[in-house]
Amino acid sequence: MFVAASSRCFSDESFEVSCERLTDLEYDKIEIWMDEESDHLKPSEVSRSPEDFYSRFREATRLTPIAFCLENDIEPTAFQSLCKAAKLLRIAQITIPASPLGTPFNSEIDRLKALLKIASRDGIRLSIKTKTGQLTEDPRTATELCQSVKGLGLTLDPSYYTCGPYSNTSYDMVFPYVCHVHLRDSTSDQVQVPVGLGEIDYSRMISMLERQNYHQFLSVELLPSLLNGVDRALELRKLRMLLESVVI
Protein backbone atom coordinates (compact mmCIF):
# COMPACT_ATOMS: atom_id res chain seq x y z
CA MET A 1 0.00 0.00 0.00
CA PHE A 2 1.07 3.57 -0.64
CA VAL A 3 0.28 6.83 1.16
CA ALA A 4 -1.05 9.80 -0.80
CA ALA A 5 -2.91 13.01 -0.01
CA SER A 6 -5.93 14.64 -1.59
CA SER A 7 -5.79 18.17 -2.90
CA ARG A 8 -9.01 18.58 -0.90
CA CYS A 9 -6.80 19.06 2.16
CA PHE A 10 -6.17 22.56 0.76
CA SER A 11 -9.43 23.04 -1.12
CA ASP A 12 -9.74 26.52 0.41
CA GLU A 13 -6.78 27.52 -1.77
CA SER A 14 -6.06 27.16 -5.48
CA PHE A 15 -5.19 23.78 -6.95
CA GLU A 16 -1.64 24.92 -7.70
CA VAL A 17 -1.14 26.09 -4.11
CA SER A 18 -2.44 22.79 -2.77
CA CYS A 19 0.21 21.00 -4.83
CA GLU A 20 2.91 23.23 -3.35
CA ARG A 21 1.67 22.67 0.20
CA LEU A 22 1.61 18.89 -0.14
CA THR A 23 5.09 18.85 -1.67
CA ASP A 24 6.39 20.92 1.26
CA LEU A 25 4.86 18.36 3.64
CA GLU A 26 6.85 15.58 1.93
CA TYR A 27 3.98 13.87 0.15
CA ASP A 28 4.93 12.61 -3.28
CA LYS A 29 1.53 11.37 -4.52
CA ILE A 30 -1.64 13.41 -4.95
CA GLU A 31 -5.31 12.67 -5.44
CA ILE A 32 -6.96 15.39 -7.52
CA TRP A 33 -10.24 16.53 -5.95
CA MET A 34 -12.82 18.47 -7.98
CA ASP A 35 -15.99 20.30 -7.07
CA GLU A 36 -18.09 22.30 -9.53
CA GLU A 37 -19.15 24.62 -6.69
CA SER A 38 -15.61 25.32 -5.50
CA ASP A 39 -12.94 27.70 -6.77
CA HIS A 40 -10.29 25.04 -6.09
CA LEU A 41 -10.72 22.95 -9.25
CA LYS A 42 -13.90 22.33 -11.24
CA PRO A 43 -14.45 19.14 -13.24
CA SER A 44 -15.76 21.31 -16.08
CA GLU A 45 -12.30 22.96 -16.30
CA VAL A 46 -10.65 19.57 -16.70
CA SER A 47 -13.21 18.05 -19.07
CA ARG A 48 -13.30 21.16 -21.28
CA SER A 49 -9.74 20.47 -22.43
CA PRO A 50 -7.95 17.41 -21.04
CA GLU A 51 -4.76 18.37 -22.87
CA ASP A 52 -4.70 21.84 -21.29
CA PHE A 53 -5.20 20.37 -17.83
CA TYR A 54 -2.41 17.89 -18.42
CA SER A 55 -0.07 20.79 -19.25
CA ARG A 56 -1.35 22.81 -16.29
CA PHE A 57 -0.69 19.94 -13.91
CA ARG A 58 2.80 19.24 -15.21
CA GLU A 59 3.71 22.92 -14.90
CA ALA A 60 2.35 23.09 -11.35
CA THR A 61 4.03 20.13 -9.69
CA ARG A 62 6.15 17.00 -9.86
CA LEU A 63 3.76 15.11 -7.59
CA THR A 64 2.55 11.79 -8.98
CA PRO A 65 -1.21 11.91 -9.65
CA ILE A 66 -2.92 8.73 -8.45
CA ALA A 67 -6.66 9.38 -8.67
CA PHE A 68 -9.49 11.78 -9.48
CA CYS A 69 -12.25 12.38 -6.95
CA LEU A 70 -15.49 14.15 -7.87
CA GLU A 71 -17.64 15.83 -5.27
CA ASN A 72 -20.69 16.03 -7.55
CA ASP A 73 -22.43 13.87 -10.13
CA ILE A 74 -21.28 14.32 -13.71
CA GLU A 75 -22.89 13.89 -17.11
CA PRO A 76 -21.60 11.01 -19.28
CA THR A 77 -20.18 13.29 -21.98
CA ALA A 78 -18.16 15.32 -19.48
CA PHE A 79 -17.12 12.12 -17.72
CA GLN A 80 -15.74 10.76 -20.98
CA SER A 81 -13.50 13.83 -21.31
CA LEU A 82 -12.47 13.44 -17.67
CA CYS A 83 -11.41 9.87 -18.39
CA LYS A 84 -9.29 11.17 -21.25
CA ALA A 85 -7.54 13.54 -18.83
CA ALA A 86 -7.00 10.66 -16.42
CA LYS A 87 -5.48 8.56 -19.18
CA LEU A 88 -3.10 11.38 -20.14
CA LEU A 89 -1.95 11.58 -16.53
CA ARG A 90 -1.77 7.77 -16.22
CA ILE A 91 -4.45 7.80 -13.53
CA ALA A 92 -6.33 4.52 -13.16
CA GLN A 93 -8.81 5.43 -10.39
CA ILE A 94 -11.81 7.76 -10.32
CA THR A 95 -14.14 8.20 -7.34
CA ILE A 96 -17.64 9.57 -7.87
CA PRO A 97 -20.38 10.21 -5.31
CA ALA A 98 -23.24 7.80 -4.89
CA SER A 99 -26.68 9.32 -5.42
CA PRO A 100 -28.52 10.92 -2.46
CA LEU A 101 -30.66 8.85 -0.12
CA GLY A 102 -34.10 8.31 -1.60
CA THR A 103 -32.84 7.72 -5.12
CA PRO A 104 -34.49 4.58 -6.58
CA PHE A 105 -32.05 1.68 -6.48
CA ASN A 106 -32.61 0.74 -10.13
CA SER A 107 -32.04 4.32 -11.29
CA GLU A 108 -28.72 4.36 -9.46
CA ILE A 109 -27.71 1.07 -11.03
CA ASP A 110 -28.45 2.44 -14.51
CA ARG A 111 -26.40 5.59 -13.82
CA LEU A 112 -23.45 3.65 -12.49
CA LYS A 113 -23.47 1.13 -15.32
CA ALA A 114 -23.36 3.93 -17.88
CA LEU A 115 -20.38 5.63 -16.18
CA LEU A 116 -18.58 2.34 -15.56
CA LYS A 117 -18.84 1.47 -19.25
CA ILE A 118 -17.11 4.75 -20.14
CA ALA A 119 -14.38 4.32 -17.52
CA SER A 120 -13.71 0.71 -18.47
CA ARG A 121 -12.98 1.66 -22.08
CA ASP A 122 -9.94 3.59 -20.83
CA GLY A 123 -8.91 0.95 -18.29
CA ILE A 124 -9.98 3.09 -15.34
CA ARG A 125 -11.40 1.74 -12.07
CA LEU A 126 -14.62 3.44 -11.02
CA SER A 127 -15.71 3.58 -7.40
CA ILE A 128 -18.39 5.27 -5.32
CA LYS A 129 -17.59 6.84 -1.98
CA THR A 130 -19.04 5.60 1.30
CA LYS A 131 -20.64 8.70 2.78
CA THR A 132 -23.50 9.77 5.03
CA GLY A 133 -26.48 11.17 3.15
CA GLN A 134 -25.83 9.04 0.11
CA LEU A 135 -26.94 5.52 -0.80
CA THR A 136 -23.63 4.19 0.48
CA GLU A 137 -24.21 5.41 4.04
CA ASP A 138 -25.55 1.91 4.79
CA PRO A 139 -22.71 -0.62 4.24
CA ARG A 140 -25.23 -3.24 3.13
CA THR A 141 -26.59 -1.01 0.37
CA ALA A 142 -23.04 -0.11 -0.65
CA THR A 143 -22.18 -3.78 -1.14
CA GLU A 144 -25.47 -4.45 -2.96
CA LEU A 145 -24.66 -1.70 -5.46
CA CYS A 146 -21.29 -3.29 -6.21
CA GLN A 147 -22.90 -6.71 -6.54
CA SER A 148 -25.46 -5.29 -8.98
CA VAL A 149 -22.90 -3.37 -11.07
CA LYS A 150 -20.11 -5.83 -11.83
CA GLY A 151 -16.73 -4.12 -11.81
CA LEU A 152 -17.82 -1.20 -9.63
CA GLY A 153 -15.75 -0.59 -6.50
CA LEU A 154 -15.98 1.39 -3.28
CA THR A 155 -13.87 4.24 -2.02
CA LEU A 156 -13.93 3.50 1.69
CA ASP A 157 -14.15 6.52 3.97
CA PRO A 158 -14.33 4.93 7.45
CA SER A 159 -15.11 8.30 9.07
CA TYR A 160 -18.71 8.09 7.87
CA TYR A 161 -19.13 4.59 9.28
CA THR A 162 -17.53 5.68 12.56
CA CYS A 163 -19.63 8.85 12.82
CA GLY A 164 -23.06 8.40 11.27
CA PRO A 165 -26.37 6.55 11.47
CA TYR A 166 -24.61 3.18 11.09
CA SER A 167 -21.85 3.80 13.62
CA ASN A 168 -22.95 0.76 15.62
CA THR A 169 -23.01 -1.50 12.55
CA SER A 170 -20.04 -3.53 11.34
CA TYR A 171 -18.87 -2.49 7.88
CA ASP A 172 -16.53 -5.44 7.34
CA MET A 173 -18.76 -6.55 4.46
CA VAL A 174 -17.53 -3.67 2.25
CA PHE A 175 -13.84 -4.65 2.25
CA PRO A 176 -14.01 -7.09 -0.69
CA TYR A 177 -15.18 -4.19 -2.87
CA VAL A 178 -12.74 -1.50 -1.70
CA CYS A 179 -10.45 -0.15 -4.42
CA HIS A 180 -9.53 3.20 -2.84
CA VAL A 181 -9.43 4.68 0.67
CA HIS A 182 -9.90 8.17 2.16
CA LEU A 183 -8.62 8.78 5.69
CA ARG A 184 -8.74 11.23 8.59
CA ASP A 185 -9.32 10.62 12.30
CA SER A 186 -12.90 10.62 13.64
CA THR A 187 -15.04 9.88 16.67
CA SER A 188 -18.62 8.65 16.97
CA ASP A 189 -19.88 12.24 17.05
CA GLN A 190 -17.29 14.14 14.99
CA VAL A 191 -16.29 13.36 11.41
CA GLN A 192 -12.87 14.96 11.89
CA VAL A 193 -10.73 15.31 15.01
CA PRO A 194 -6.98 15.77 15.55
CA VAL A 195 -4.97 12.67 14.67
CA GLY A 196 -4.67 10.39 17.68
CA LEU A 197 -7.81 11.63 19.41
CA GLY A 198 -10.22 9.64 17.26
CA GLU A 199 -11.52 6.11 17.06
CA ILE A 200 -10.29 5.01 13.63
CA ASP A 201 -8.40 1.74 14.08
CA TYR A 202 -5.88 2.11 11.26
CA SER A 203 -4.06 -1.14 12.04
CA ARG A 204 -7.24 -3.22 11.90
CA MET A 205 -8.43 -1.47 8.75
CA ILE A 206 -5.13 -2.11 6.97
CA SER A 207 -5.19 -5.72 8.15
CA MET A 208 -8.67 -6.13 6.66
CA LEU A 209 -7.46 -4.62 3.39
CA GLU A 210 -4.44 -6.92 3.30
CA ARG A 211 -6.75 -9.93 3.60
CA GLN A 212 -8.31 -8.77 0.33
CA ASN A 213 -4.87 -8.34 -1.27
CA TYR A 214 -5.39 -4.59 -1.45
CA HIS A 215 -2.25 -2.97 -2.88
CA GLN A 216 -3.60 0.47 -3.76
CA PHE A 217 -3.51 3.86 -2.04
CA LEU A 218 -4.39 5.24 1.37
CA SER A 219 -5.30 8.84 0.61
CA VAL A 220 -5.29 11.41 3.41
CA GLU A 221 -8.33 13.67 3.05
CA LEU A 222 -8.66 16.42 5.64
CA LEU A 223 -11.71 18.68 5.50
CA PRO A 224 -10.59 22.34 5.80
CA SER A 225 -14.00 23.48 7.05
CA LEU A 226 -13.64 21.20 10.10
CA LEU A 227 -10.10 22.07 11.14
CA ASN A 228 -11.34 24.43 13.87
CA GLY A 229 -7.99 26.09 14.50
CA VAL A 230 -6.00 22.85 14.35
CA ASP A 231 -2.56 23.07 12.73
CA ARG A 232 -3.27 21.59 9.30
CA ALA A 233 0.39 21.04 8.37
CA LEU A 234 1.02 19.20 11.62
CA GLU A 235 -2.05 17.00 11.14
CA LEU A 236 -0.97 16.08 7.62
CA ARG A 237 2.53 15.20 8.79
CA LYS A 238 1.23 13.14 11.73
CA LEU A 239 -1.18 11.13 9.60
CA ARG A 240 1.41 10.53 6.87
CA MET A 241 3.93 9.25 9.42
CA LEU A 242 1.32 7.13 11.19
CA LEU A 243 0.19 5.45 7.97
CA GLU A 244 3.72 4.91 6.72
CA SER A 245 4.64 3.25 10.02
CA VAL A 246 1.68 0.87 9.74
CA VAL A 247 2.03 -0.15 6.09
CA ILE A 248 5.82 -0.64 6.11
Side-chain angles (χ1 to χ4, degrees):
M1 289 179 228
F2 307 93
V3 178
S6 170
S7 66
R8 188 177 190 180
C9 297
F10 292 96
S11 57
D12 51 342
E13 301 192 68
S14 72
F15 176 70
E16 283 76 8
V17 169
S18 72
C19 292
E20 292 176 13
R21 300 277 191 261
L22 292 175
T23 300
D24 291 343
L25 292 168
E26 299 182 14
Y27 283 89
D28 60 0
K29 299 174 181 65
I30 185 172
E31 178 172 11
I32 300 171
W33 178 80
M34 305 175 219
D35 182 357
E36 200 61 48
E37 300 175 3
S38 167
D39 291 330
H40 176 72
L41 180 64
K42 302 178 189 296
S44 59
E45 296 176 43
V46 180
S47 61
R48 187 179 305 118
S49 178
E51 293 83 2
D52 286 350
F53 180 72
Y54 172 84
S55 299
R56 175 182 172 184
F57 179 85
R58 291 304 180 194
E59 289 173 6
T61 183
R62 293 185 178 180
L63 289 168
T64 300
I66 56 98
F68 282 164
C69 180
L70 306 185
E71 188 67 14
N72 319 105
D73 190 14
I74 186 169
E75 293 297 320
T77 302
F79 185 68
Q80 189 169 355
S81 293
L82 207 67
C83 288
K84 182 177 180 180
K87 194 171 182 180
L88 287 171
L89 289 166
R90 298 185 180 180
I91 286 173
Q93 164 66 38
I94 297 179
T95 298
I96 60 173
S99 291
L101 288 175
T103 302
F105 192 80
N106 288 339
S107 297
E108 177 68 340
I109 289 174
D110 291 341
R111 179 184 79 97
L112 294 172
K113 282 183 175 179
L115 295 177
L116 179 63
K117 183 177 180 180
I118 295 169
S120 298
R121 285 200 294 260
D122 287 317
I124 294 170
R125 294 187 304 271
L126 182 68
S127 61
I128 47 176
K129 179 161 175 160
T130 60
K131 187 174 182 180
T132 303
Q134 299 177 359
L135 290 176
T136 50
E137 79 166 20
D138 180 348
R140 289 167 295 189
T141 304
T143 58
E144 288 170 2
L145 285 168
C146 291
Q147 290 165 355
S148 300
V149 183
K150 301 302 180 184
L152 179 70
L154 293 175
T155 292
L156 173 63
D157 190 327
S159 292
Y160 294 105
Y161 288 150
T162 301
C163 173
Y166 292 89
S167 59
N168 294 319
T169 302
S170 170
Y171 60 91
D172 287 359
M173 65 188 76
V174 308
F175 282 96
Y177 303 98
V178 173
C179 62
H180 195 57
V181 180
H182 287 161
L183 292 173
R184 69 192 70 78
D185 213 348
S186 310
T187 63
S188 58
D189 59 357
Q190 294 185 72
V191 170
Q192 181 170 286
V193 297
V195 177
L197 300 182
E199 302 169 15
I200 303 293
D201 189 339
Y202 300 101
S203 294
R204 181 181 185 277
M205 182 198 66
I206 289 171
S207 176
M208 292 292 289
L209 291 169
E210 287 176 339
R211 291 183 192 178
Q212 302 298 326
N213 295 314
Y214 181 87
H215 301 296
Q216 306 305 319
F217 295 94
L218 305 174
S219 185
V220 176
E221 188 193 69
L222 297 189
L223 308 176
S225 61
L226 300 180
L227 285 170
N228 299 321
V230 174
D231 187 330
R232 179 172 8 192
L234 178 61
E235 291 299 295
L236 281 161
R237 286 194 183 96
K238 284 163 57 180
L239 195 45
R240 176 179 58 77
M241 294 173 68
L242 186 156
L243 293 174
E244 289 176 346
S245 70
V246 175
V247 300
I248 292 175

